[in-house]
Amino acid sequence: MYTTQPVKESGSPLLYSNTNTPVYADDSAELPVKKRGCTDIIFSIIFIAVLIYYFINTAQYFDLDLAFKPKTTSFKFNDVLKTSLWLCGGFGIAWLILLRYLSGVLVWMLAIVGNGALYVVGFLVYRNPETLKLSSQNAFYLMIIIEIVAIVITLLLILLRNKIKLTIGLLKNSVSAFTSVPSVVFVSVIVAAIMICAILYGVVVNINAVTALSAGDSAKFVIFVVFVTAWIGFFLSGLLQLSIGGGIGHWYFTKDRTMGTPGCFRYLFFGLTLHLGTIAVGSLILAILFTIRFIVNKAKKSAKAKGNKIGACLLGCIACCLKCFESLIDWLTSYAYIFVALHGESFISSGKRVTALLKKHFDTAAVNDGLSWFIFTVGNILLGVLTYSVLGKIYEDATTSQRMMGASIVFVFLYALSLMLKRVLQAVFVCFAEDAEDGYKYTPVELRAIIEGSDLVVKDNSV
């Protein structure tokens, strides 16, 4: 028979009801850990010392009026802007509802339509080579390349269909977690505001220092400011990932998800105290890579200005490789911060857990991140274009720049919402993978059904 009431027996296996709520057999979850200590203390001290030195030596160059001289403008906060703000709220709510209840339809529709468009594009390129100013032979080769890409994507969609189904289930649960833990929004806004201020501070200091210092001194000073600003930015990004990872982890491993959770503020506090050094380690690695890439790009511009095309091309390739490596490290550290939030361990220990996770679930993680990026990007672009069209219908006398401004506001808002959802999705995925080691004790029924290929209701023969 099917269990219809919660069953809680000490030491008994997990039972499932015919609702979407798992029935837990234990009284408390082991994750996130309750008792935790300070991690990577040495890097906490180094990070704080660098910040103190940075602000002491740069405060004299912070002058907004000097960096940005006020200009007269005729811009007014008009009805187009107000309507755009209303559209932000409306589209944001609609986007969340769509992802929560129709994400499966949305994912497969975009995948099939997008892949089908590749076949059509390849055919049109071959039939109309003059449009792209290509010869018939080159158009044929280009068509072959496009069709091969489309065929590969088709095969991937078929072979990875179960992984895609799992990603859809994780995405639905991520939206549910996002709406159940509202502190995700508040913490994100707070951290984003601090990050904007830190970046603005660095930009202003650099602008003023370049005019006040000699060429040699200003170059060294600019590199120093870029490095510290990048370190602060990556640190705040890691702090946000840890905070969201902890809040979502608490939601995932709690017995009654309708009762609410402590949220992300507790883990924000942990990040600023116990795990400050751990976040500083990961952000330091990224800041070093970013600074090296900054120097390479400066050297590339210098070589290009001197007419050294070979040197500029070589430096451009190096910068591209550095960007790829930086993105890879950023991707790995984002998962490491979630493990820090769940287990309270150092950066090295969390990195080992990330390695173990990717050994077992690399394909799922790749599909999870890749598919979510595709859905969020396409959705943001389509809603931005829709905003542009709606503003044109409502305000026929609106200029193109005003409509573009409104569409840009909506796009930025939805992009920020997508970034929060992506962080939540990564945290849900890590919790799901952690729970897999314990027999999916806390995994929602719909996700367990995808894995086992069973019905949503699991039979319980013990009742």
Side-chain angles (χ1 to χ4, degrees):
M1 61 182 297
Y2 298 109
T3 59
T4 57
Q5 299 296 328
V7 177
K8 182 175 69 175
E9 298 177 5
S10 179
S12 63
L14 175 66
L15 306 177
Y16 285 84
S17 67
N18 59 357
T19 66
N20 241 7
T21 305
V23 182
Y24 304 107
D26 56 340
D27 291 326
S28 61
E30 297 180 359
L31 294 177
V33 294
K34 278 65 175 183
K35 296 181 180 180
R36 57 180 74 213
C38 292
T39 55
D40 301 305
I41 301 177
I42 295 178
F43 287 93
S44 299
I45 298 173
I46 295 174
F47 182 64
I48 294 174
V50 170
L51 288 184
I52 293 174
Y53 179 82
Y54 171 68
F55 286 111
I56 289 176
N57 288 274
T58 58
Q60 58 181 319
Y61 299 107
F62 183 73
D63 189 343
L64 285 173
D65 293 334
L66 181 62
F68 306 108
K69 296 180 179 179
K71 300 179 181 179
T72 58
T73 176
S74 58
F75 174 77
K76 295 182 179 180
F77 192 78
N78 51 34
D79 293 335
V80 173
L81 183 57
K82 294 179 182 178
T83 304
S84 300
L85 295 177
W86 280 105
L87 289 175
C88 285
F91 284 158
I93 295 173
W95 188 227
L96 290 175
I97 295 174
L98 187 64
L99 290 174
R100 178 64 182 91
Y101 298 103
L102 296 174
S103 57
V105 177
L106 180 66
V107 168
W108 287 113
M109 182 184 69
L110 291 177
I112 293 173
V113 172
N115 195 39
L118 281 178
Y119 288 102
V120 175
V121 168
F123 177 75
L124 292 177
V125 167
Y126 177 69
R127 291 296 300 271
N128 302 284
E130 65 279 356
T131 304
L132 299 176
K133 298 181 180 179
L134 298 173
S135 64
S136 298
Q137 186 176 11
N138 290 337
F140 175 76
Y141 291 148
L142 181 58
M143 181 201 70
I144 294 298
I145 294 174
I146 295 175
E147 299 300 333
I148 290 175
V149 172
I151 292 173
V152 170
I153 294 175
T154 302
L155 293 176
L156 288 176
L157 290 175
I158 296 173
L159 295 175
L160 299 176
R161 60 189 183 279
N162 290 329
K163 299 295 181 183
I164 295 175
K165 289 180 181 178
L166 179 58
T167 297
I168 293 171
L170 291 171
L171 185 58
K172 290 181 178 179
N173 278 269
S174 299
V175 177
S176 178
F178 179 78
T179 55
S180 300
V181 188
S183 56
V184 170
V185 177
F186 296 111
V187 170
S188 299
V189 171
I190 293 172
V191 173
I194 298 174
M195 187 181 298
I196 291 172
C197 292
I199 294 174
L200 178 63
Y201 181 89
V203 171
V204 172
V205 166
N206 268 340
I207 292 175
N208 294 336
V210 168
T211 58
L213 299 175
S214 62
D217 293 336
S218 65
K220 297 177 183 178
F221 188 83
V222 166
I223 293 174
F224 171 70
V225 172
V226 167
F227 167 72
V228 178
T229 303
W231 195 0
I232 295 173
F234 286 121
F235 174 85
L236 292 173
S237 178
L239 177 64
L240 180 59
Q241 184 73 63
L242 186 146
S243 303
I244 293 177
I248 298 303
H250 209 111
W251 171 87
Y252 194 97
F253 292 106
T254 196
K255 186 173 299 182
D256 185 2
R257 291 172 183 162
T258 63
M259 297 299 291
T261 64
C264 301
F265 285 103
R266 171 187 292 183
Y267 298 92
L268 178 66
F269 174 76
F270 288 158
L272 290 173
T273 53
L274 301 178
H275 305 307
L276 188 146
T278 302
I279 305 175
V281 176
S283 55
L284 174 61
I285 297 172
L286 291 169
I288 292 173
L289 292 173
F290 180 87
T291 305
I292 294 174
R293 185 162 58 88
F294 173 82
I295 295 172
V296 171
N297 282 323
K298 283 291 185 181
K300 173 190 170 184
K301 291 181 180 179
S302 177
K304 193 174 181 179
K306 295 178 181 178
N308 187 355
K309 295 182 179 180
I310 297 178
C313 180
L314 181 61
L315 290 170
C317 293
I318 295 174
C320 182
C321 294
L322 286 172
K323 176 60 179 177
C324 294
F325 185 63
E326 180 186 326
S327 299
L328 175 62
I329 299 300
D330 190 22
W331 183 61
L332 295 175
T333 54
S334 65
Y335 281 107
Y337 294 139
I338 298 173
F339 279 108
V340 172
L342 294 179
H343 294 275
E345 297 176 343
S346 66
F347 184 80
I348 299 298
S349 299
S350 299
K352 293 178 180 178
R353 289 185 179 274
V354 174
T355 303
L357 170 72
L358 294 179
K359 283 182 179 179
K360 294 181 179 180
H361 305 284
F362 176 78
D363 52 350
T364 304
V367 172
N368 203 39
D369 287 324
L371 191 59
S372 62
W373 173 85
F374 174 75
I375 296 299
F376 293 152
T377 302
V378 173
N380 294 344
I381 293 174
L382 291 178
L383 290 176
V385 173
L386 181 59
T387 301
Y388 183 85
S389 302
V390 169
L391 292 176
K393 295 291 184 181
I394 297 176
Y395 304 103
E396 296 181 355
D397 58 340
T399 62
T400 302
S401 60
Q402 290 175 328
R403 293 164 64 186
M404 285 298 298
M405 177 194 65
S408 300
I409 291 174
V410 173
F411 179 83
V412 170
F413 172 80
L414 293 174
Y415 178 74
L417 180 63
S418 298
L419 286 180
M420 287 187 284
L421 285 173
K422 182 182 178 181
R423 294 178 186 274
V424 173
L425 179 61
Q426 287 181 322
V428 170
F429 168 68
V430 171
C431 294
F432 168 80
E434 288 284 277
D435 194 38
E437 302 298 323
D438 199 21
Y440 301 108
K441 186 182 294 186
Y442 295 91
T443 299
V445 179
E446 54 186 308
L447 289 180
R448 188 180 176 93
I450 294 173
I451 300 167
E452 298 179 350
S454 60
D455 296 329
L456 286 180
V457 181
V458 179
K459 290 185 177 180
D460 171 28
N461 298 321
S462 65
V463 180

